[in-house]
Amino acid sequence: MQFSTSPKQQIIEQTWKEKFCSQPHQMFFVSAIFFSIFIMIMTLFSLMGKTSLEFSTIHGFGLNYAVFTNAFLGFLITVIPKYNAAPAIKESLYIKPWIIMQGGFFIGLLINVQVGKLIVALVMFYFAKIFYSTIKEGKAFIKEDSIYLNSIFIIGAILLTIEALFSLNLSYLIFFAYLINMVYFVALRMIPGFYFTYTKINPWQKPKFLKPLSLALITIVAIALQFEIKPLIMISSLSSFLFFTYVFIKLNMFKKTSAILQILVLGFAWFPLGFLGLFIESLLEGSILKLGLHIFALGFVTTLLIGFGSRVSLGHAIPAQPIIADELTKWLFVLTQVLVISRVAASILVLDNSTMFMNILHLSATIWILLFFVWTLKYGKYLLRV
């Protein structure tokens, strides 16, 4: 019989706070999920005329920054060191800024929108500086993706600062030049990577022009919409639909895969359809409740948020869980698509002069709240470390 002569390893007990703060995605994802429910409840109250808060602040600033930027930061703080072969970002660098940022969201939504936006923008600039240093010091040979992501993140901070200082509404620029660019560049790297690792087939070798042209097209659409340049909206949205449909077809992600991977591919498929929605809107005289924008926001961004959130929560759980969608998760994936279809239906009903559209809007908001509430019941234990 052999006995180990090595010293007995000491088991280090961690408090709940230490466990919760040990991985940045936990803190920022929890905030994103909290605000996803809080913001949509406030949106529903606003639609029903039961709050005096400004709708554009709740729905625009709230979703673009309190929900999606929180989610981005949890992702970026985790992956940028990995992308660049750099040391992980230390807890001391993100815990206090996380607290300040959440305070900025509450101030912006409930007290003073300009002050809240400035606080959030300053925290974003702080993290952009950390990302720049991480990219610069990393040992990876190719850093292109990280540079794109950090540059887009800085654009989001700059646009928010301009909104706060000059009391402007730059919602289209923020949504497309910042939000959609960010999600697209994350999706373009991560989803094909997951897919071809799973299927073991050779991926499409993306041409060098793909990323700069993608950035240019999305940004041109943002400028055209922000400044209401109708001929440019028509040309840029149609060109983008054709180009991004070509990209999706060339990626060739059509084989049957796991449910979590299928929802990510489906989310990516909504991306070119969003430009088609914008083009259709540009041909019409009346408003159809921002059809294209909501195809992007719900079909593309929210589907990917649910898909990536489920995958990351399982893969980074302690102990790690199998990255497999159970029946409840599959039901949540289906509910996400019901959400998209209900919001598209509201726009179609407006086009048909139906009085039902407001009821469908209320239904869409309710489905969103239910979706994130049930998702929290399923995955909150992994993020909260309880």
Side-chain angles (χ1 to χ4, degrees):
M1 181 179 292
Q2 292 181 331
F3 297 90
S4 173
T5 57
S6 60
K8 186 177 181 179
Q9 290 186 337
Q10 184 179 3
I11 299 174
I12 301 175
E13 293 290 337
Q14 287 185 306
T15 64
W16 173 83
K17 179 183 175 182
E18 289 172 333
K19 290 188 289 186
F20 178 61
C21 297
S22 64
Q23 298 188 73
H25 80 275
Q26 295 173 157
M27 302 169 62
F28 287 94
F29 281 13
V30 164
S31 295
I33 297 303
F34 167 79
F35 278 111
S36 69
I37 298 171
F38 176 76
I39 294 298
M40 200 54 67
I41 290 174
M42 297 303 294
T43 296
L44 191 56
F45 284 169
S46 181
L47 289 172
M48 298 168 67
K50 294 186 177 181
T51 177
S52 60
L53 297 175
E54 188 177 350
F55 180 82
S56 62
T57 299
I58 297 170
H59 206 64
F61 172 64
L63 291 176
N64 288 336
Y65 288 94
V67 177
F68 296 123
T69 297
N70 259 320
F72 292 157
L73 272 170
F75 174 81
L76 293 175
I77 295 171
T78 301
V79 303
I80 281 186
K82 294 180 180 179
Y83 283 2
N84 296 278
I89 295 172
K90 297 178 181 178
E91 291 179 32
S92 58
L93 295 177
Y94 62 75
I95 294 177
K96 288 182 180 178
W98 172 76
I99 296 171
I100 295 169
M101 176 173 263
Q102 310 319 308
F105 291 134
F106 280 113
I107 291 171
L109 291 167
L110 303 175
I111 302 173
N112 186 300
V113 64
Q114 280 75 30
V115 172
K117 286 179 177 180
L118 282 175
I119 291 172
V120 172
L122 288 172
V123 175
M124 290 178 69
F125 282 122
Y126 164 82
F127 278 114
K129 183 178 182 298
I130 290 177
F131 297 149
Y132 171 80
S133 299
T134 303
I135 295 166
K136 184 178 179 181
E137 295 168 8
K139 296 179 180 179
F141 180 70
I142 300 174
K143 302 181 179 182
E144 182 183 52
D145 286 335
S146 298
I147 293 170
Y148 269 108
L149 291 174
N150 198 35
S151 299
I152 295 166
F153 190 72
I154 292 170
I155 289 171
I158 291 172
L159 291 173
L160 187 60
T161 303
I162 294 171
E163 271 203 337
L165 292 178
F166 300 101
S167 298
L168 297 174
N169 182 350
L170 302 178
S171 57
Y172 276 115
L173 276 174
I174 288 171
F175 184 78
F176 285 96
Y178 166 51
L179 176 67
I180 296 303
N181 264 325
M182 176 69 77
V183 181
Y184 174 75
F185 275 87
V186 170
L188 187 63
R189 171 167 178 145
M190 302 297 288
I191 297 175
F194 291 150
Y195 180 85
F196 293 114
T197 299
Y198 183 93
T199 58
K200 309 296 183 184
I201 60 177
N202 293 327
W204 176 48
Q205 297 301 310
K206 304 182 191 76
K208 291 184 178 180
F209 65 78
L210 176 58
K211 291 173 187 175
L213 183 54
S214 297
L215 183 68
L217 283 171
I218 297 169
T219 305
I220 291 169
V221 168
I223 293 169
L225 288 167
Q226 181 66 49
F227 297 103
E228 299 180 356
I229 309 171
K230 191 165 183 178
L232 186 57
I233 295 173
M234 295 176 66
I235 295 169
S236 61
S237 59
L238 179 59
S239 301
S240 297
F241 168 66
L242 295 173
F243 174 73
F244 290 113
T245 299
Y246 162 78
V247 171
F248 185 74
I249 292 171
K250 291 296 290 183
L251 285 171
N252 193 26
M253 298 184 292
F254 304 112
K255 289 184 178 295
K256 186 175 180 180
T257 56
S258 66
I260 287 184
L261 188 47
Q262 282 182 310
I263 195 65
L264 294 176
V265 173
L266 179 58
F268 211 160
W270 279 111
F271 183 68
L273 294 178
F275 292 106
L276 180 60
L278 291 176
F279 177 68
I280 292 171
E281 286 181 281
S282 72
L283 299 176
L284 303 172
E285 292 299 325
S287 168
I288 53 173
L289 290 177
K290 299 181 179 178
L291 170 65
L293 185 146
H294 283 90
I295 291 175
F296 283 114
L298 301 177
F300 179 53
V301 180
T302 303
T303 298
L304 295 189
L305 180 61
I306 292 295
F308 276 122
S310 302
R311 184 183 180 92
V312 170
S313 298
L314 292 171
H316 288 262
I318 298 178
Q321 304 295 309
I323 304 178
I324 299 172
D326 60 9
E327 290 304 313
L328 177 60
T329 301
K330 292 176 183 178
W331 179 84
L332 289 171
F333 291 165
V334 172
L335 187 61
T336 307
Q337 303 314 298
V338 173
L339 170 63
V340 184
I341 293 168
S342 68
R343 185 56 187 79
V344 170
S347 290
I348 294 172
L349 288 170
V350 166
L351 188 62
D352 195 39
N353 294 318
S354 172
T355 57
M356 282 289 293
F357 82 92
M358 187 56 74
N359 292 332
I360 302 298
L361 281 182
H362 292 169
L363 176 63
S364 299
T366 304
I367 293 173
W368 169 288
I369 294 167
L370 176 64
L371 170 66
F372 282 96
F373 178 74
V374 177
W375 190 93
T376 302
L377 292 179
K378 169 65 179 176
Y379 290 97
K381 60 185 177 182
Y382 302 124
L383 295 176
L384 289 169
R385 298 291 297 276
V386 293

